[in-house]
Amino acid sequence: MRPLLSLPSKIVGTAWHYRPTLSTEQLVLWGVVIFSVFYNVPFWQQAFAGYDPLAVQTWLTFANMFLVMTCLNYLVFVSLAFRTLVKPLLTLLFLIAAFVSYFTSYYGTYFDTSMLDNVLQTDTNEAQELLTAGLLIHLAIFFGLPTVMIWRVNITPSTWKKAMLRRSAYCLASAVILLLALFLSYQEVSSLMRNNKELRYLVTPGNYIVSMAQALSSQHASANTVRSPVGEDASISSQAGDKPTLLVIVVGETVRAANWGLNGYERQTTPKLALQPDVINFSDVFSCGTSTAVSLPCMFSLPGRADYAKSYAQQHESLLDVLAHAGLEVTWLDNQSGCKGVCDGVTTKALSPEEYASLCQDGRCFDEALVQALTTQISGTSADQVVVLHQLGNHGPSYYQRYPPAYERFVPTCNSADLATCSREAITNSYDNAILYTDTVLDQVIETLKHQDEYATAMIYLSDHGESLGEKGLYLHGIPYAIAPDEQTHVPMVWWLSNSFSQQQGLDTDCLRQVSDQAASHDNLFHSVLGLLDVATDVYQQAKDISQTCRSLAN
């Protein structure tokens, strides 16, 4: 029996002590083949959706695309892989590929430049939430195992002449195979990639490397940019006896219109807003982007989505600067990971967990702390002012941490950041509970404004983008806009106007209710705010001001 019992240990021992000897070129080839097979499953699934898996042509096309992907990666990486660098380079590539493959496989994430902007702007708290047990297990398999194998390989020593000849031969062979594969499948492959441009964001690790380079380049350019002024001619006029105006803009986070109670959702997730008689709900509003890094700068910039470019937002002032030029006091109160440059020219205050200890835990504050900060801000001045509240809202994946326990109305909930461990019902319940809490926060903002008798007050609530909760196998957000589902682009917007504000600005609120079901978007925010506050400036575009027809009726 003893020889039989010792057999497994001998096999394990032999395998552990086995250290293959490979050339640098062979090790890189081994690595890129593994990338193509194991780290690009979402790409293969989408590329061949609808193909007949039993057809010979399907397998021929797959083989050609496999060769194209592998040879392209090989030609890029082998040029950087020298004997002393090849193991660190492959280790880094496998680390990147392991992270990327996890989020593309489990959440349907596309790693384009916008997503990499989000990654670069993620704060410590957000990063910690993503470190789930599922991710760590995935890293152990898809990073740990290949890394151990890489470092157990012995690299073949050779003279530089032999190394150059060998590398040239491998590169030539790869180039020939690449050209042959492209020749045999060019029409089909080019048609597939041309009609499904988003597929390039699933090719790992190239997607991450290219997008990261673009995102870093953009950030570097932003750091050295002086913003050009916008609307320096802005002015605001007031009549004798007018109260100073106070507008609160609440920037929602990751709330989608489909689960918004006021939009007719099967659950009443906005019961308190429904009881506010002066609330006007806009039911057909679409975002500028599918991530905060795009939507937030875009919704406060002049061009709008059709002409929006990150470079423009970095190089020009925002709506808040125009309001400041008009003489309003503008303050940004932040319960998120920053304003993405929107508030650079105005007073900015981030919520401090120490200051709102009863509403904060683990470095995060519930959004009710914004209401307290708003009250403090209002009491500090009697001038015309605009206050922006940037919510934590429904920021995922830890929806269950976005509301106090008292708001856990819909059960069972998903009490984990690892959404793969929860049912869709539990995920949706947690998400809806977070909206229920936002409803309370907005109700508190309105009640706070109602008691500001010395001001003519108003509130605008608008979410930055939506969220996928498992529809079509997608979770979270950040899908390229061209293919993004409505769940990520259709967002709620609510206005509340006090009687004194409506009368002072000459607004017909019944008219506003009649136009509230018309199509609108983030593009309307810039000009609607200028219109509501009666700010005169050459950059104002009346056609994009939602309330302009209702002001003319009242006047």
Side-chain angles (χ1 to χ4, degrees), residues 202-213:
L202 293 176
V203 180
T204 304
N207 51 359
Y208 188 97
I209 294 171
V210 173
S211 297
M212 177 61 80

Side-chain angles (χ1 to χ4, degrees), residues 454-498:
E454 69 276 21
Y455 284 102
T457 57
M459 181 198 78
I460 294 176
Y461 168 80
L462 179 59
S463 181
D464 62 349
H465 55 79
E467 186 88 328
S468 288
L469 300 176
E471 300 86 3
K472 306 179 183 70
L474 300 176
Y475 292 88
L476 304 180
H477 53 267
I479 297 294
Y481 202 94
I483 61 166
D486 280 358
E487 289 84 5
Q488 295 192 27
T489 60
H490 189 192
V491 295
M493 180 169 73
V494 165
W495 291 12
W496 175 85
L497 311 174
S498 66

Side-chain angles (χ1 to χ4, degrees), residues 305-498:
R305 193 181 76 81
D307 300 314
Y308 174 77
K310 180 181 177 183
S311 58
Y312 178 92
Q314 292 172 335
Q315 297 167 11
H316 292 80
E317 292 180 337
S318 73
L319 167 64
L320 303 186
D321 297 287
V322 179
L323 298 176
H325 293 322
L328 289 99
E329 292 189 8
V330 183
T331 306
W332 183 285
L333 301 178
D334 200 273
N335 194 29
Q336 255 287 350
S337 56
C339 67
K340 317 306 179 189
V342 171
C343 61
D344 286 354
V346 301
T347 302
T348 304
K349 300 176 183 178
L351 295 189
S352 168
E354 292 75 22
E355 189 173 356
Y356 304 98
S358 64
L359 291 169
C360 305
Q361 56 184 4
D362 301 325
R364 288 285 201 192
C365 295
F366 292 123
D367 282 329
E368 283 177 282
L370 284 171
V371 184
Q372 293 188 16
L374 171 65
T375 302
T376 302
Q377 176 61 32
I378 294 172
S379 63
T381 181
S382 59
D384 294 317
Q385 61 175 314
V386 173
V387 181
V388 183
L389 308 182
H390 189 196
Q391 287 189 293
L392 180 59
N394 279 48
H395 194 286
S398 299
Y399 308 122
Y400 71 102
Q401 292 184 337
R402 305 299 176 242
Y403 53 88
Y407 290 84
E408 194 171 278
R409 178 179 302 178
F410 307 113
V411 292
T413 56
C414 177
N415 297 325
S416 170
D418 190 353
L419 301 184
T421 65
C422 298
S423 67
R424 278 191 59 188
E425 177 192 10
I427 294 170
T428 301
N429 286 341
S430 296
Y431 185 84
D432 286 350
N433 287 333
I435 294 181
L436 191 67
Y437 179 58
T438 287
D439 172 67
T440 291
V441 172
L442 296 179
D443 182 71
Q444 289 181 4
V445 171
I446 292 171
E447 291 300 321
T448 299
L449 295 179
K450 283 182 178 180
H451 289 86
Q452 306 304 316
D453 295 332
E454 69 276 21
Y455 284 102
T457 57
M459 181 198 78
I460 294 176
Y461 168 80
L462 179 59
S463 181
D464 62 349
H465 55 79
E467 186 88 328
S468 288
L469 300 176
E471 300 86 3
K472 306 179 183 70
L474 300 176
Y475 292 88
L476 304 180
H477 53 267
I479 297 294
Y481 202 94
I483 61 166
D486 280 358
E487 289 84 5
Q488 295 192 27
T489 60
H490 189 192
V491 295
M493 180 169 73
V494 165
W495 291 12
W496 175 85
L497 311 174
S498 66

Side-chain angles (χ1 to χ4, degrees), residues 253-321:
E253 171 63 38
T254 321
V255 178
R256 67 188 204 176
N259 293 51
W260 190 247
L262 294 179
N263 285 342
Y265 181 44
E266 60 186 13
R267 287 173 168 173
Q268 181 47 285
T269 54
T270 54
K272 293 185 178 180
L273 288 177
L275 294 176
Q276 287 284 358
D278 297 318
V279 159
I280 301 171
N281 181 65
F282 294 81
S283 59
D284 193 20
V285 181
F286 283 81
S287 67
C288 189
T290 61
S291 66
T292 304
V294 174
S295 282
L296 195 57
C298 183
M299 65 198 291
F300 284 91
S301 69
L302 177 61
R305 193 181 76 81
D307 300 314
Y308 174 77
K310 180 181 177 183
S311 58
Y312 178 92
Q314 292 172 335
Q315 297 167 11
H316 292 80
E317 292 180 337
S318 73
L319 167 64
L320 303 186
D321 297 287

